[in-house]
Amino acid sequence: MKKIIITLIISLFFTSLYAEEHLDFKPDFAVAQFAGYIGFISTGVGYESDRKKSTIDFLYGYVPAFAGGMEIHMLTGRITGRAITYHSNYGFSFFPLNLSFFVNYAHGKPYKLRWESKYPKWYYRPTALYSGESIGMSIKKACNEADISAYELYAEVVTMSEFLYEYYKNDSIAFKDIISLAFGARIYF
């Protein structure tokens, strides 16, 4: 199980490096997020492409028992593309259309990558590993502090791929039941 997660994270990381020719292993930013199917609160690090058109984040998410019925620990890899960018003369950048794809691994006994052999193959879906998508916007402010080059705030509407599939197949599921709002911040080094 650990091998799958490590392979996934390394693959996402090197895909981003290859695609954007980003050869520095030092993270470009720290990120913190509230909600959005990757934890009640999540924190991690990430990399920004040289052209500032995409980011890749690696996050640890935590759901406390009061919010999820039990403690949940998650690891997430997320790639975000910025389709549109506006720059101001005052150091602000506005990104009105950010599209993200993430893969999440939930750790713990209740989560399964494979079910025991007593269950028919593919009868149950894996519960430990899932993917999702989001659409959002962000605003970034450049600054001249010694250790911090910029701040960014973002908001996203998030869903999971499985939820989209069920929504498409089942008319009784409301759109509001498959989405979550997420709010976050990045501090660039």
Side-chain angles (χ1 to χ4, degrees):
M1 194 173 321
K2 289 180 184 178
K3 290 180 184 177
I4 292 172
I5 298 305
I6 291 170
T7 302
L8 178 66
I9 290 172
I10 290 171
S11 297
L12 286 171
F13 179 73
F14 283 107
T15 299
S16 175
L17 289 180
Y18 176 75
E20 299 295 340
E21 299 177 8
H22 187 111
L23 301 175
D24 188 5
F25 290 102
K26 180 183 156 212
D28 294 327
F29 59 83
V31 60
Q33 179 174 312
F34 171 74
Y37 295 122
I38 64 170
F40 183 77
I41 189 78
S42 305
T43 187
V45 296
Y47 301 88
E48 185 174 46
S49 69
D50 292 335
R51 294 179 303 177
K52 315 268 189 253
K53 290 286 190 181
S54 62
T55 62
I56 184 167
D57 306 351
F58 300 100
L59 300 114
Y60 163 76
Y62 174 71
V63 178
F66 75 85
M70 64 180 195
E71 285 190 355
I72 304 170
H73 302 272
M74 298 179 217
L75 296 174
T76 302
R78 174 175 58 194
I79 297 173
T80 302
R82 298 170 171 162
I84 303 168
T85 304
Y86 298 107
H87 298 285
S88 79
N89 294 335
Y90 303 103
F92 284 97
S93 297
F94 178 56
F95 308 100
L97 182 60
N98 296 337
L99 304 170
S100 298
F101 175 78
F102 66 88
V103 176
N104 193 319
Y105 169 74
H107 176 71
K109 278 189 172 184
Y111 303 103
K112 306 280 187 206
L113 281 175
R114 280 182 255 132
W115 292 89
E116 293 86 27
S117 60
K118 65 181 179 180
Y119 300 108
K121 190 173 183 176
W122 300 112
Y123 186 74
Y124 293 111
R125 293 180 181 161
T127 57
L129 194 63
Y130 58 90
S131 62
E133 302 80 28
S134 69
I135 185 168
M137 64 176 64
S138 62
I139 188 164
K140 184 176 179 181
K141 171 69 170 109
C143 64
N144 294 326
E145 296 182 26
D147 295 332
I148 299 173
S149 65
Y151 302 92
E152 183 176 3
L153 299 175
Y154 65 88
E156 300 174 329
V157 176
V158 185
T159 190
M160 293 192 296
S161 301
E162 184 176 326
F163 289 178
L164 279 177
Y165 175 78
E166 294 299 332
Y167 176 74
Y168 175 75
K169 297 295 247 178
N170 188 339
D171 292 337
S172 67
I173 297 175
F175 185 70
K176 67 178 180 60
D177 294 333
I178 69 164
I179 61 171
S180 173
L181 291 177
F183 301 96
R186 292 184 179 97
I187 299 174
Y188 289 80
F189 309 118

